[in-house]
Amino acid sequence: MIATGSTQEEIAAIVGLSVPTLNKYYFKSLSDGAAIIRGVVNLSLVEEAKKGKVAAARLLIDQIEKGDASAPMRRARRAVQAQVQQTADSQPMGKKATAHAAAQTAHEGTEWGSLLKLN
């Protein structure tokens, strides 16, 4: 649903959960949902192109030539991360969350900083 533009608040209301509960138990689905859908669509395009469907082949080639087939996924992931961060900022972090947040930037300012690039 994130992939189609629904907000976390809308999704939470539809499934009957609070936004924090939705984030806690379904974060992976929220963050990777667009990628999964995009992958399914791309596989369908490949299959249709193999069958000789010219329109599917053209669309697939256009995506490959642009080299930007994953841009919508990155935009969706950034939007979800921003919403999660906004929700997290409004709630106190626990021990594990604090340790995880510290680990994400532990390499910065060290000799490891140029070697470790986190996505």
Side-chain angles (χ1 to χ4, degrees):
M1 295 173 83
I2 286 283
T4 60
S6 297
T7 65
Q8 287 187 2
E9 290 78 14
E10 291 169 338
I11 295 169
I14 290 168
V15 297
L17 298 173
S18 68
V19 173
T21 302
L22 181 72
N23 287 326
K24 182 176 180 179
Y25 293 104
Y26 298 101
F27 176 76
K28 183 90 171 130
S29 297
L30 290 171
S31 64
D32 293 345
I36 293 167
I37 290 170
R38 188 146 188 87
V40 169
V41 169
N42 284 338
L43 286 174
S44 297
L45 280 175
V46 169
E47 291 303 316
E48 292 299 307
K50 283 182 182 179
K51 292 177 188 175
K53 304 287 174 127
V54 176
R58 285 183 182 164
L59 184 56
L60 191 57
I61 289 170
D62 285 345
Q63 287 180 347
I64 292 168
E65 286 177 350
K66 287 179 187 174
D68 201 23
S70 62
M73 180 192 73
R74 287 193 301 271
R75 284 193 297 271
R77 180 170 287 156
R78 278 192 294 258
V80 169
Q81 288 172 340
Q83 289 177 347
V84 168
Q85 186 62 41
Q86 185 179 27
T87 301
D89 288 345
S90 66
Q91 299 175 358
M93 288 181 17
K95 290 179 188 178
K96 290 180 184 177
T98 303
H100 180 72
Q104 297 300 308
T105 58
H107 66 285
E108 293 176 1
T110 69
E111 59 189 43
W112 288 93
S114 63
L115 299 173
L116 299 175
K117 302 271 191 239
L118 298 178
N119 294 330

